Amino acid sequence: MSEKRKIIIDTDPGQDDAVAILLALGSMDELDVLGLTSVAGNVPLALTTRNARIVLEVAGKKDIPVYAGCDKPISRQLVTAEHVHGATGLDGPELFEPTIPVQDKHAVDFIIDTLRSEPEGSVTLCTLGALTNIATAFSRAPDIAGRVKELVMMGGGYFEGGNITPAAEFNIYVDPEAADLVMKSGVPIVMMPLDVTHKVLTTKERVAKIAALNTPVSKFVVEMLDFFERFDIEKYGSDGGPLHDPTVIAYLLKPDLFTGRVCNVEIEVNSELTLGMTVVDWWHVTQRAHNALVIGDVDADGFFALLTERIGRL
Ligand code: RIB
Ligand code: CA
């Protein structure tokens, strides 16, 4: 048995974040989840922190610590997405007040301390929301960027365009300055943009297979998806909604499900029109440094088979 992969999940739950966390929790023989760090994004920090604890409790994993992070972007006002996720951020299932405590330590301090204390190159950062916590940690402790094994992020879009503006995907748009700093940090980055997440749609057939697990966790997931997908179905006329964040965890578990290209990615931080756009030099037309593996395609059926099997373990 190879050593478990140590990960920190930085998240703004969000129904798709919740499914990503459950995928990780169903894979504990491969992943060592050192902690969840919450960030403001889909909904304000108090709710993303609460939702992270709810998900752990639904999965019966009360021993995983939750650290609350930044409540607003580095230098902008917070933009949220209740129109997608509902007022709680986790609309769909009946929610409850979690009993899991929030750690006293700030998420940024947890990220810094963990990267400094764990062996160099042994911790993977999995980011499912705005990059505010990560960028703040890198700014406050420049020594830690070189200690990160890999940063696998859900964010950006190129050929697919944006989802919060015509040019920008939500996680990047919320905190473009943070994304810019992280993209220039030198950390090995794998980027899951809308170009790939829009290919993993929660079709009726796929959701039915999750429902057929007939467990309390699968019921919770189906109720979240029923709510979450309505927005994208109405917007795109698709069969199901894009299950963005679980692609990050699936990449850790089965990277061969995905294909992409190493290239340069830069973030627009000035233009009002294209603020938060991920400018991907997919065709290598510039000499800019290749700073990310940009994922463009996925075996969607393989992804859902993995997700369903792992949720079935909880
Ligand atoms: O644009 C999709 C991303 O923004 C997902 O991570 C979703 O949870 C929201 O955070
Ligand atoms: Ca998210």
Side-chain angles (χ1 to χ4, degrees), residues 19-20 36 52 67 91 122 128 160 186 199 225 245 247 306-307:
V19 177
L36 302 188
Y67 300 85
D91 279 25
S122 67
L128 313 180
E160 193 70 5
K199 294 176 180 174
L225 295 183
D245 291 338
T247 60
L306 171 68
L307 177 63

Side-chain angles (χ1 to χ4, degrees), residues 4-223:
K4 290 183 182 183
R5 186 161 183 169
K6 294 175 180 175
I7 68 171
I8 293 173
I9 301 176
D10 193 72
T11 180
D12 65 337
Q15 290 88 349
D16 60 318
D17 300 67
V19 177
I21 294 166
L22 291 170
L23 174 56
L25 299 178
S27 308
M28 301 289 270
D29 51 356
E30 296 167 77
L31 301 175
D32 179 3
V33 182
L34 301 178
L36 302 188
T37 52
S38 59
V39 66
N42 283 323
V43 286
L45 180 70
L47 285 174
T48 60
T49 307
R50 176 179 182 261
N51 294 341
R53 293 150 61 210
I54 287 174
V55 175
L56 288 174
E57 211 146 320
V58 166
K61 304 288 184 184
K62 294 187 173 185
D63 55 335
I64 293 177
V66 176
Y67 300 85
C70 299
D71 63 0
K72 67 179 289 294
I74 288 176
S75 56
R76 294 178 183 273
Q77 290 308 307
L78 177 63
V79 171
T80 53
E82 286 86 350
H83 60 291
V84 178
H85 300 273
T88 69
L90 218 52
D91 279 25
E94 187 177 334
L95 301 180
F96 53 89
E97 199 51 40
T99 60
I100 295 177
V102 184
Q103 300 296 313
D104 293 338
K105 182 179 281 190
H106 191 283
V108 171
D109 295 323
F110 168 71
I111 292 165
I112 294 170
D113 294 347
T114 302
L115 284 167
R116 282 178 172 163
S117 59
E118 293 290 341
E120 184 173 335
S122 67
V123 177
T124 298
L125 301 176
C126 302
T127 69
L128 313 180
L131 289 160
T132 314
N133 286 342
I134 308 302
T136 304
F138 286 1
S139 296
R140 198 179 300 167
D143 59 292
I144 66 171
R147 301 182 61 84
V148 177
K149 176 184 177 64
E150 197 169 49
L151 187 150
V152 187
M153 59 180 280
M154 190 280 139
Y158 194 50
F159 299 103
E160 193 70 5
N163 58 4
I164 190 74
T165 75
E169 177 278 327
F170 182 76
N171 287 341
I172 309 299
Y173 182 74
V174 169
D175 200 339
E177 285 73 19
D180 185 43
L181 187 149
V182 169
M183 294 314 292
K184 292 173 178 171
S185 67
V187 168
I189 291 172
V190 178
M191 179 174 136
M192 292 284 169
L194 298 177
D195 303 81
V196 64
T197 67
H198 280 187
K199 294 176 180 174
V200 284
L201 298 178
T202 59
T203 63
K204 290 182 182 57
E205 182 188 355
R206 289 165 175 165
V207 175
K209 288 179 180 171
I210 296 173
L213 294 169
N214 198 24
T215 65
V217 173
S218 66
K219 179 175 179 292
F220 192 85
V221 168
V222 168
E223 288 169 349

